[in-house]
Structure formats: structure tokens, C-alpha cells
Amino acid sequence: MDITHLRARTPGCTETAFFDNAGAALRTEHVTNTVIDHLTLESRLGGYAAAEQEDDRVEAVYTSVARLLNARPEEIALVDSATRAWDMAFYSIAFRPGDRILTSRSEYPSNGLGYLQAKQRFGVSVEPIPDDKHGQVDLDALAGMLDQGGVRLVAVNHVPTYNGLVQPAAEIGALARRAGALYLLDACQSAGQLPLDVREIGCHLLSAAGRKYLRGPRGTGFLYVDREVVTTLEPPVLDLRAATWTGPDSYLIRPDARRFESWERGVADLLGLGAAVDEALELGIGPIRERIDTLAEQLRAGLSALDGVRVHDRGQVRSGLVTFTKDGRDTQHLVDGLRAAGVVTLLSRPSAAKFDTHPEKPTEVVRASVHYYNTDAEIGRLLDGVAQL
């Protein structure tokens, strides 16, 4: 990668040392201009005419996202967030009393609330899978839970938001499929930084965000739905994009993943998402992953060498999310102090993950998430800031 060139295409790199890529990464000028150009077109032609004029480009976004996942375009739904994608997938499952949901202990709070709502509504059981010694899903424990029968859904996050690990997604998929359970993977933190091959992973459903490691606009996300199961899943909400009103007492739901979409959507942002995905594909997810991994390990090593600093990342395989605390220093104080020094990080709360009962889990951590456009000099600024605060 030509990092100098990539940074020159990213105006935000001149403003700060940016380490909140797991929250909302910096966009390139091309992505921003793609959004602006369509908004300008809408101001001239009106929203409907502008959308019709760019229909082919919108269709190309489905192809780009499908390439990213090794999926088919008809297996992709474009929505307004990863949360919306996950909700549409989860709430489309026809749970019955006694069904079992198996999930990771590091599950995101929004997903956890969905499980508990299903428990109250349908009488399902929600069972966190034990962690292994590395902090990731214990595959032997998962196999044993699946062998007990009655599992309707295995739903895990690929990359937790607060401890840097990467779940063994493909191994989980193999076990879920062998047991005949649906498998929903939340890839909001992994899309754009890790290779995602839905055939290799074996998931039936995958949700992801545009704003994070893909460097797309906020208000964008997508959902993959395996064509083998799509017609067995009825969306919790229908409109005239998801279905056709065929008569006074009848309607017909689309046979593809677009049954999970809404008619009204921001075309400018969708085109921006497509531009961001195309840029990631052009660079190659493999090189992106290698660069992120190198920078993240460099940052972990640097933080571990500082007096009083503890890195909290777990997992045999780790992501670009690096989490740490400093003895005797309030976490918010660290985040604010770094921001004042021109270094952007985020305060993350592991305490929000109520299924995770790991005894050494901190209440709060500083999360510094690296991306390929970060540099050694920026890591040095972050380390200096932590040392001086």
C-alpha cells in the first residue's frame, strides 16, 4: 500500500491521529464526493428522478457487497445500519416455545436485548456459550450444547466491541450447520478489516455496518441472507419494496434478500457505501488485514511497555481493536486528555455486556482501533499521550 497516497485521499488524517475506526472511520474524499454529487443531483432533478437516473449504479452496490462476502447479489439487502440489518434478520425467525438461542458472552447490548425480548414473547431460552481460556467461544462447549438438541439459532458477534478478539466464525458455522441450527453472524466490526467469505463461514445470515472499517457513510448497512433459507424467514415489517399487494386480501413477499429492505432510503448514502466497498476491494481485504494486524500488535506492544498500563485484549486471533487502562487514571480522563492532544480514541464499557462474567473484565477501557491509514508516528503520539497523562 502507498500509505502516503491513501492518507492524502483522507482529509481527516491532517486533523488528528485517528484511532476510532471501530466507531466510525474516516472517509476518503471519493466517498464523500460520491454522496455530495448525488445530493446535488437530487437538488436539481428531485429525489425520484435522480434515483431513476442512477439506478444502474445503485444496482452495482449489491454486486460490490456480494463480492466482498463471496455471495450472490440477490442474497444482499441494503439497509440503514448494522442494527437494522441484525434486527430484520433476528425478528424474521419464527421462534416457538422451548426453542434455544445460543450466543456469545461478549454479545453487543442491542443484540442481548433482542434475545431477552424473544424470551419474554415466545418462551425461548437464551444460553450464553462458555468462553475458552482465550476468551472466545469454546467450540467443545458449543458442540455439547448443540448435541442436546432444540437449538433454533446460534448468534454471535465476530469481533466484540471491547476486547480485541476474533471469534472462530467458520468453526462455529460448521457446528451450527451440522446441528441444523440457523447461524447469524454480526460482522459490524469485522467487515472491512477481516476477510468475510460466507461460504467458508457457513452462516445463514450476516449483518454489517458501512461506517466502521469499510469507511462508508453513517446510516448504511447490509444484510446477507443465504438463498437456501430466505423464503423461510418472514420480515417483521413489510412495505411496497419488500412485498407486492396482489389483492384486497393477499400479498406476495419478494423471494430474495430485498424482502428485508424499505422502499424509502438515502440513495446518496448507498452510493457512498458502494464507493467505500469498491475502494476496499481494490486495495484487497488481505493486505488491509495484514496492515491492521501489524499496527495493532505494534500498539499493544508499546502500551504494554508503559508503566501502569494494562492491555485487556484476549483471543488467539486478534483484531484491530486495542483496549487498555492505566493504573490510577480515570478512563474518561485518558480519552479526554488524548483528544486534547489530537489523538482520537473511545471509551468502551465491557460492563454493558451482561453475559460476560469474566472475573478480570474491567468496567471501562480506552479503545484505540487502528486502520491501514494509521502510521508509526501516530502510534507514537498515542503512546506519548498515554505516558504523559
Side-chain angles (χ1 to χ4, degrees), residues 27 30-51 53-54 57 217-218 264-272:
R27 291 182 291 198
H30 174 59
V31 171
T32 299
N33 289 338
T34 297
V35 175
I36 292 173
D37 288 347
H38 189 77
L39 291 175
T40 301
L41 185 66
E42 287 184 340
S43 72
R44 292 175 41 236
L45 304 182
Y48 289 179
Q53 180 170 311
E54 299 294 354
R57 291 180 64 202
R218 294 195 70 176
E264 180 56 36
R265 54 190 185 166
V267 176
D269 287 336
L270 290 181
L271 292 173

Side-chain angles (χ1 to χ4, degrees), residues 99 152 154 207 226 236 253 281 321 324 338 366:
D99 282 345
R152 182 77 170 107
V154 177
S207 58
D226 188 335
I253 304 177
L281 291 170
L321 282 67
F324 63 95
L338 288 168
V366 180

Side-chain angles (χ1 to χ4, degrees), residues 238-250:
L238 293 176
D239 72 358
L240 73 169
R241 180 168 181 81
T244 301
W245 195 2
T246 55
D249 297 310
S250 62

